[in-house]
DNA sequence: GATCGTCTCCCGTCAGGCGGAAGGGCACTG
DNA sequence: CAGTGCCCTTCCGCCTGACGGGAGACGATC
């Protein structure tokens, strides 16, 4: 939001002004949103447009450009991961016709990287690129269970938001659940986000690190709803892990506790 | 490549150094690739890292960060389009188990936005985010047929690369094909990219504009291979178009001839 | 311990970012 | 058709913050 003092910061501030809620902005809106003078915004935007980071539609509004999208596609935790995972997710979807989700952890949040859903599946309010708290979701439980201790502590210490009567908010209980997740290799989220959905998730690994999680979300009112799906999810997750190992060398990062600069 | 004189240019130059071939770079490699002094690269990278545009893996290499990926996801012609199209692509995939592709046009090239493929499908060398010439591909033919005249002229005038003995390289012939594509509403690419693959494509529209194209690629040695698929592809493309119309207002840009500033 | 590669930090200089102001284009209004 | 309120674009002099050489830490490899 606040206009950076630095030149590069302004470039980033302009980009940061775009969000899921506001994917298209006029120059003036952009200037207001970033708090920078119109002429400054204009100059920065011109540079970004020339490069292809921003595009201007026929309505005159600015949008994220195709080049930036393609660049983002190079993120190993974005499309790289997705590329490896999609065929397995397809299989899972074809069998279940339910929501199939792929997610990674970013600090104390889960970021959804891919989601397949038919029209008949339970409506879930996750979107690709979207974020959510870790504890209530299946994928989040998996990712949290295998996160560095320091991250776990911060999550357990912080306020745990309640979404339904079933949401776990007791740190002690949550700790037990996480241990269970580590022991069994799967996580089940029973109506913790909405009262009509249950999910089962399994970890995806690269080397010794858990780099992502895969889940299936179904309509249901008890863990039994996903029991039959568990083997399928585990198998798919392992398949993806294997595929990742096969991928080109040096493509795989690991997620460390906090993204602070060194 | 060449290090920009401006501060913002340096930021973009650093980002541009990442490519499909080189998705991970050390700081020094980055400095060499962009031609900027190490200390300058260091400063720029620090800023980008703090913002989340770049991440550093445990191997010390820099990669495109999750935040940049999420930002790219806001591109209407990227994920926005994909989001609307995926369910229909699923259906098509489930029926055919072949490559199902979604693409848009960027100037005189086709950019692949999504691709679903099983293991048994014909191997095609397209990747999400990747580019290709327009004329030889099914999606490209559709997009070219509905492109502004000025774009068509440039493509037809420019050298038309031959990939197989079947590739159309005669501008006159190509012009006829394009007319045919406009008349029938579908395009068939018969072994124009590889000698064992045939594809059928249909346009996706928003308002009166063709904004994308959908195709199925199958193993085959004549247009007959895709005849049975044609209605399915058309239907799916229309379904996606309808879905786009339903999408939130003001989300849809139109592709104009050249991206020159006005 | 020498040599090469990597990354990080400091700081004096001066190029280039900054943003106020002015001007032009549209659309709607009285 | 002057008046008002948006939008966008361009210009240009001031001065700040970007620039990059250099020094130094660290880690491999020989």
């Amino acid at each position: 939001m606040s206009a950076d003092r630095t030149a590069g910061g302004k470039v980033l501030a302009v980009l940061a002004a775009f969000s899921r809620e506001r994917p298209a902005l006029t120059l003036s809106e952009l200037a207001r949103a970033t708090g920078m003078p119109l002429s400054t915004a204009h100059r920065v935007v011109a540079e970004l447009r020339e490069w292809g980071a921003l595009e201007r539609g026929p309505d005159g509004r600015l949008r994220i450009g195709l080049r930036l999208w393609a660049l983002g596609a190079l993120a190993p935790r974005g499309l790289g991961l997705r590329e490896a995972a999609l065929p397995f997710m397809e299989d899972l979807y074809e069998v279940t016709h339910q929501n199939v989700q792929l997610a990674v952890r970013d600090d104390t949040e889960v970021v959804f990287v891919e989601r397949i859903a038919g029209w008949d599946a339970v409506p879930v309010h996750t979107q690709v690129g979207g974020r959510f708290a870790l504890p209530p979701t299946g994928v989040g439980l998996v990712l949290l269970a295998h996160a560095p201790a320091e991250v776990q502590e911060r999550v357990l210490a912080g306020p745990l938001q309640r979404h339904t009567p079933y949401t776990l908010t007791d740190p002690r209980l949550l700790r037990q659940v996480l241990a269970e997740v580590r022991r069994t290799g799967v996580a089940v989220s029973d109506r913790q986000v909405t009262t009509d959905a249950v999910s089962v998730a399994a970890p995806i690994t690269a080397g010794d690190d858990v780099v992502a999680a895969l889940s299936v979300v179904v309509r249901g009112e008890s863990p039994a709803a996903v029991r039959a799906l568990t083997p399928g999810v585990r198998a798919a997750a392992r398949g993806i892990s294997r595929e990742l190992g096969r991928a080109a060398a040096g493509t795989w990062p690991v997620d460390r506790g906090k993204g602070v600069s060194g």
Side-chain angles (χ1 to χ4, degrees), chain A residues 7-84:
Chain A
K10 284 183 205 299
V11 170
L12 297 176
V14 164
L15 293 180
F18 292 86
S19 66
R20 193 161 295 276
E21 293 74 38
R22 303 199 298 169
L25 299 166
T26 68
L27 182 60
S28 307
E29 285 169 346
L30 194 52
R32 277 192 296 272
T34 55
M36 53 177 74
L38 192 59
S39 57
T40 302
H42 180 261
R43 187 163 28 80
V44 173
V45 164
E47 197 159 25
L48 286 169
R49 280 221 290 157
E50 190 178 355
W51 191 79
L54 295 181
E55 291 178 357
R56 154 168 278 167
D59 57 356
R61 288 171 166 246
L62 296 162
R63 295 176 176 77
I64 300 294
L66 207 56
R67 181 157 182 193
L68 200 56
W69 171 79
L71 189 65
L74 298 177
R77 296 205 292 158
L79 260 189
L81 175 61
R82 192 205 90 107
E83 207 97 305

Side-chain angles (χ1 to χ4, degrees), chain A residues 153 167 189 199 230-231:
Chain A
E153 293 313 320
T167 307
S189 163
S199 77
T230 306

Side-chain angles (χ1 to χ4, degrees), chain A residues 55-247:
Chain A
E55 291 178 357
R56 154 168 278 167
D59 57 356
R61 288 171 166 246
L62 296 162
R63 295 176 176 77
I64 300 294
L66 207 56
R67 181 157 182 193
L68 200 56
W69 171 79
L71 189 65
L74 298 177
R77 296 205 292 158
L79 260 189
L81 175 61
R82 192 205 90 107
E83 207 97 305
L86 196 59
F88 295 93
M89 295 177 70
E90 290 297 336
D91 293 347
L92 220 43
Y93 172 75
E94 207 159 327
V95 174
T96 63
H97 276 232
Q98 298 293 344
N99 294 282
V100 180
Q101 300 184 322
L102 178 69
V104 300
R105 179 177 62 81
D106 192 33
D107 200 22
T108 61
E109 288 180 310
V110 54
V111 178
F112 291 93
V113 170
E114 180 58 289
R115 171 187 152 220
I116 305 184
W119 301 282
D120 46 340
V122 205
V124 290
H125 40 268
T126 58
Q127 271 188 303
V128 171
R131 291 165 176 268
F132 207 78
L134 288 166
T137 65
V139 281
L141 283 174
V142 167
L143 294 170
L144 184 56
H146 297 92
E150 174 265 331
V151 174
Q152 293 184 12
E153 293 313 320
R154 263 189 300 139
V155 171
L156 291 172
L160 298 170
Q161 206 194 334
R162 172 175 297 283
H163 298 94
T164 74
Y166 307 97
T167 307
L168 294 177
T169 55
D170 177 7
R172 280 197 49 212
L173 212 56
L174 205 45
R175 226 179 272 273
Q176 285 175 28
V177 171
L178 294 180
E180 187 72 4
V181 169
R182 275 189 294 271
R183 198 176 62 76
T184 60
V186 289
V188 174
S189 163
D190 177 17
R191 292 166 290 173
Q192 290 202 57
V193 179
T194 60
T195 55
D196 62 349
V198 184
S199 77
V200 56
I204 292 169
T205 58
D208 291 334
D209 303 301
V210 171
V211 294
L214 180 73
S215 80
V216 174
V217 185
V218 303
R219 194 181 307 278
E221 303 192 336
S222 88
V226 294
R227 198 154 292 156
L229 296 171
T230 306
V233 174
R234 296 185 68 157
R238 301 186 78 171
I240 296 170
S241 304
R242 194 174 349 105
E243 196 63 28
L244 285 183
R246 189 170 314 184

